Amino acid sequence: MVSVTDLQKEHPLFNERHEVPDRVSKGSHISSMAQYEKYYRESIENPESFWQQRANELLTWTKPFTKVFSGGFENGDVKWFEDGELNVSYNCLDRHAERTPDKVAIIWEGDSPNQVEHITYKQALEQTCRLANAMKELGVKRGESVCIYLPNCPTAAYAMLACARIGAPHSVVFAGFSADSLADRIRDSKSKLIITADQSTRGGKVIPLKQAVDDAVKKSDSVQHVLLLQNTGGKVHFEKGRDVWLHEAMEKQSTTCQPESMNAEDPLFYLYTSGSTGTPKGLVHTQGGYLLYAALTHLWVFDYRENDIYACVADVGWITGHSYIVYGPLCNGATTFMFEGLPTLPDAGRYWDMVQRHKITQFYTAPTAIRTLMKFDDTFVKRYDVTSLRVLGSVGEPINPESYNEVVGDKKCSIVDTYWQTESGGHLLTPLPGATPQKAGSASFAFFGIVPEGNSVSGVLCISKPWPGITRTIFNDHERYMKTYLNVYKNKYFTGDGVWKDQDGYHWITGRVDDVINVSGHRIGTSEVEGALVTHNKCAEAACVGVPHDVKGQAIFAYVILKENVEETPELLAELKGAVRTHIGPFATPDFVVIAPGLPKTRSGKIMRRLLRKIAAGELDQLGDTSTLADPHVLDLIIEKVKSLK
Ligand code: PRX
């Protein structure tokens, strides 16, 4: 087992702290560790008054709540502000459009740096209302789910907010998912309406979204209408009676739409995510608690201030985009930046060119993007003026902040290495830019209201008190919710991650302790990839593991057993990768597919993945105990095979 001493050796900077730059600390929301500690204590000792105050400061309620919190982990019945009512789109749009109608709500940049749009709060509100009215006309009712399968563009934000306006929970599916994955999600959420686009372009490549929707709709019987954004103008199949052009549907609608008053605990959205087993889970997030948590974390973790230009370059298809492109920033009346292109196009300076042109103050991305850029020359950063930046955010995996801060921030920024998950709705462990001295690679301390507990034996991270942003259930499957998160350790929420706490109280995330792989910040369940591989008629069995990867953090390494008398050919290897692309999406394609002579199994037939992981990583001296294997000889054969490929 890894000890703290080993970790200290692994991280030479373990004890080195970087103080907060004065320019960041000055005037920040939380500007010292003493202030952090005071608020933190209050949030734990007196959570009701802490959250009541924030809920009244940051949100506008149509019916004030009288009860802050009830329920708990024991029965999985957590409720926040349960008798309060509000409308999320009112909070994110109307109240800012009333006060500052011409303030820019969204800056969008497309594939090319010449594609730029500035959308004011007034315009965003009008578009959202038109879309909400169009959805109503198509028969969408309060409580009925709507599937959104769109590129990372302003229409995606309008669609989410329009759903919130009429009380229809949305289920956004990342536009990189294949038709099969989309169909699974539509079937589970029983969406009657899908909002999509003809096509999207990324890096000049055309992605046929409508075609995927046509295929997915055939495999699901709930869909009655498809609202179609004319994005590229490319030719697509159009099914009369079912398909409706979005611009035509919106054109004829009024620019006002009465927001529904929703209960704080009504679902705001479902978002599907991968676990270690089974099909993706539709995590349910609520109107009141989720919005408050997204807004407060956005405000304090990025130290958002009135005239900032805040940028998160994630995609709205993931939780990062939900909380930190759309809901958190817009609830706070911020200008939020949306990026549909690639960081390396037209060249590796794209991010910093955008920072210079838009005078971006906070920049939030995944370490994998920074690592990709660091492979290029520093001059891609140095040729731009990025001095507007104050806070550099990172999410998805631990980051070595040296490169990020030295090259990009010129040591004048704070790095916030934010640790959280789809389930948590917002940040769980994170530095605060004006207060927390940075330790490279550590997500540092708990956000307010979060009580992390490392189990000292196994080093797993649990949270012992409910917070407003926690997912309340898995759509249609509360039993699975209990089993996955709340019944693993009594009265605690189990994150699925390992953690260590050092002598200064800093937390170090050691990665997933289950069969979930994190590829370039995309969370992928090994069982899903294995399921996709075995759909190939020549594949008998498959086992996938994650291996360390310089740029992506982890890559997928697949071991495949072929059916009898099937020969390994380069074409077959390509077809197996193709099966994953078809069933999940290109982002889940294994980097390595190895045709194995067998799999290491225990006598009871369980695959020993630990061994497969070590072999894939080339750590043959660390195989450990292999005595429980049914056939130890198979291990030698696999090792031989993998060695022959290197
Ligand atoms: O393993 C942790 C890792 O990403 C997982 C959550 O993935 P997902 O639900 O897709 O959400 C990603 C965006 C919030 C976690 O269980 N993870 C996330 N942030 C960090 C991290 N690992 C280490 N350090 C982080 N900062």
Side-chain angles (χ1 to χ4, degrees):
M1 193 170 66
V2 196
S3 70
V4 178
T5 338
D6 288 337
L7 268 169
Q8 255 167 317
K9 276 188 224 143
E10 255 176 55
H11 294 272
L13 302 167
F14 195 79
N15 290 314
E16 204 174 298
R17 268 184 274 195
H18 298 271
E19 293 309 318
V20 174
D22 281 346
R23 71 183 273 270
V24 182
S25 189
K26 204 165 156 240
S28 58
H29 290 282
I30 311 288
S31 58
S32 67
M33 280 310 278
Q35 191 186 354
Y36 163 74
E37 276 154 18
K38 179 174 168 284
Y39 280 26
Y40 182 72
R41 221 174 304 119
E42 189 191 319
S43 75
I44 304 307
E45 287 169 6
N46 209 343
E48 304 236 334
S49 84
F50 180 89
W51 289 110
Q52 176 174 10
Q53 187 186 336
R54 273 45 238 189
N56 287 323
E57 275 167 10
L58 295 182
L59 307 186
T60 304
W61 297 83
T62 38
K63 177 172 171 260
F65 56 88
T66 61
K67 205 166 177 183
V68 177
F69 169 73
S70 73
F73 288 158
E74 196 169 343
N75 301 315
D77 55 356
V78 169
K79 290 193 175 83
W80 286 87
F81 319 113
E82 64 183 285
D83 59 347
E85 289 184 13
L86 76 171
N87 182 275
V88 170
S89 89
Y90 177 87
N91 275 275
C92 291
L93 297 173
D94 304 51
R95 57 186 188 146
H96 312 305
E98 281 158 23
R99 201 172 62 90
T100 50
D102 299 325
K103 176 164 178 176
V104 173
I106 301 173
I107 304 177
W108 170 83
E109 243 189 74
D111 220 16
S112 141
N114 301 324
Q115 291 172 286
V116 180
E117 273 180 33
H118 288 81
I119 298 139
T120 64
Y121 269 96
K122 181 168 180 278
Q123 291 167 330
L125 173 62
E126 288 179 0
Q127 295 293 75
T128 299
C129 286
R130 282 181 190 272
L131 182 45
N133 289 329
M135 291 195 324
K136 280 207 241 178
E137 196 176 306
L138 289 173
V140 180
K141 304 229 159 37
R142 181 176 165 140
E144 290 178 345
S145 83
V146 171
C147 175
I148 299 173
Y149 186 67
L150 281 168
N152 205 34
C153 64
T155 303
Y158 307 151
M160 291 161 77
L161 292 161
C163 285
R165 197 160 193 91
I166 64 172
H170 56 69
S171 156
V172 181
V173 178
F174 171 57
F177 274 112
S178 67
D180 282 359
S181 290
L182 176 62
D184 288 344
R185 284 154 179 77
I186 296 171
R187 264 199 308 270
D188 192 75
S189 64
K190 302 185 183 62
S191 301
K192 281 185 4 190
L193 175 72
I194 305 184
I195 308 179
T196 190
D198 46 8
Q199 301 167 329
S200 70
T201 47
R202 241 185 139 208
K205 224 176 95 191
V206 173
I207 304 156
L209 299 182
K210 176 59 166 47
Q211 196 184 316
V213 168
D214 289 334
D215 293 346
V217 170
K218 282 188 203 129
K219 295 178 186 159
S220 40
D221 50 21
S222 59
V223 178
Q224 294 172 1
H225 289 292
V226 177
L227 255 179
L228 192 51
L229 168 73
Q230 198 164 45
N231 191 37
T232 61
K235 209 168 153 22
V236 288
H237 166 74
F238 189 90
E239 194 159 314
K240 268 206 168 146
R242 185 195 72 183
D243 298 351
V244 179
W245 285 109
L246 185 84
H247 59 276
E248 288 176 6
M250 281 171 68
E251 231 163 48
K252 56 182 184 193
Q253 301 294 341
S254 153
T255 54
T256 60
C257 169
Q258 180 64 28
E260 287 282 319
S261 186
M262 304 298 293
N263 181 273
E265 280 294 315
D266 282 338
L268 174 63
F269 64 83
Y270 313 137
L271 186 57
Y272 287 83
T273 191
S274 300
S276 36
T277 52
T279 52
K281 305 170 279 212
L283 298 177
V284 179
H285 281 288
T286 60
Q287 311 266 340
Y290 167 81
L291 186 66
L292 176 62
Y293 202 69
L296 187 69
T297 46
H298 171 259
L299 189 69
W300 285 355
V301 173
F302 299 111
D303 189 39
Y304 167 71
R305 304 184 207 173
E306 179 83 27
N307 295 314
D308 285 346
I309 306 287
Y310 159 88
C312 166
V313 289
D315 190 288
V316 285
W318 307 108
I319 190 70
T320 309
H322 281 56
S323 302
Y324 300 116
I325 296 176
V326 179
Y327 290 116
L330 295 179
C331 186
N332 292 330
T335 298
T336 185
F337 179 83
M338 260 183 136
F339 180 46
E340 200 184 319
L342 291 175
T344 46
L345 274 179
D347 62 37
R350 180 68 185 271
Y351 279 166
W352 323 119
D353 174 31
M354 299 193 303
V355 169
Q356 172 178 294
R357 278 186 287 114
H358 301 291
K359 300 204 169 26
I360 289 168
T361 40
Q362 291 92 347
F363 190 83
Y364 194 29
T365 187
T368 185
I370 299 297
R371 285 195 296 260
T372 310
L373 298 177
M374 292 310 151
K375 291 206 143 191
F376 294 88
D377 187 338
D378 276 11
T379 56
F380 281 109
V381 184
K382 300 275 186 244
R383 70 170 74 141
Y384 298 101
D385 175 5
V386 294
T387 50
S388 55
L389 289 169
R390 236 176 38 242
V391 181
L392 297 170
S394 153
V395 56
E397 23 166 342
I399 189 163
N400 173 347
E402 263 59 66
S403 46
Y404 203 5
N405 204 3
E406 269 175 32
V407 182
V408 182
D410 199 20
K411 294 190 179 161
K412 296 189 182 88
C413 293
S414 280
I415 307 274
V416 287
D417 176 347
T418 62
Y419 163 80
W420 61 296
Q421 330 177 281
T422 309
E423 291 84 346
S424 69
H427 306 139
L428 289 172
L429 303 175
T430 177
L432 295 173
T436 319
Q438 176 86 47
K439 281 199 187 193
S442 162
S444 76
F445 303 115
F447 190 72
F448 303 100
I450 303 298
V451 186
E453 277 189 25
N455 171 322
S456 60
V457 182
S458 57
V460 296
L461 175 60
C462 290
I463 315 280
S464 65
K465 267 179 193 281
W467 63 100
I470 189 179
T471 179
R472 303 291 194 267
T473 188
I474 293 172
F475 186 60
N476 280 332
D477 203 346
H478 196 64
E479 203 180 311
R480 189 173 175 202
Y481 172 78
M482 295 302 293
K483 203 168 132 213
T484 313
Y485 304 114
L486 304 185
N487 285 344
V488 186
Y489 295 93
K490 197 170 163 33
N491 258 332
K492 294 183 191 2
Y493 165 80
F494 172 54
T495 60
D497 285 299
V499 72
W500 286 102
K501 196 158 123 174
D502 72 17
Q503 69 277 17
D504 302 318
Y506 282 70
H507 293 87
W508 300 76
I509 300 291
T510 54
R512 300 287 310 192
V513 295
D514 54 11
D515 291 319
V516 169
I517 310 183
N518 201 329
V519 181
S520 300
H522 298 320
R523 176 169 158 178
I524 299 163
T526 46
S527 63
E528 284 172 75
V529 183
E530 290 159 7
L533 287 166
V534 298
T535 60
H536 192 288
N537 61 7
K538 291 183 177 155
C539 172
E541 198 177 359
C544 296
V545 294
V547 278
H549 186 278
D550 279 358
V551 172
K552 300 185 195 180
Q554 279 189 301
I556 300 176
F557 194 110
Y559 295 86
V560 168
I561 311 292
L562 297 178
K563 287 190 179 154
E564 246 175 79
N565 301 324
V566 175
E567 274 200 26
E568 175 180 345
T569 62
E571 293 75 29
L572 178 58
L573 292 177
E575 284 174 27
L576 288 164
K577 288 187 179 184
V580 179
R581 266 194 291 274
T582 310
H583 288 280
I584 307 177
F587 66 93
T589 311
D591 277 63
F592 310 94
V593 177
V594 170
I595 305 299
L599 292 173
K601 291 185 182 170
T602 59
R603 268 167 232 120
S604 58
K606 197 169 171 328
I607 299 172
M608 289 183 76
R609 285 166 195 283
R610 177 177 63 80
L611 298 177
L612 292 176
R613 250 179 245 129
K614 294 287 175 198
I615 296 171
E619 295 168 353
L620 300 179
D621 53 337
Q622 294 171 31
L623 292 180
D625 182 11
T626 54
S627 61
T628 52
L629 280 176
D631 173 13
H633 179 56
V634 89
L635 206 59
D636 299 330
L637 296 177
I638 301 171
I639 293 171
E640 223 170 274
K641 178 72 196 257
V642 173
K643 270 188 176 165
S644 74
L645 300 171
K646 287 199 169 156

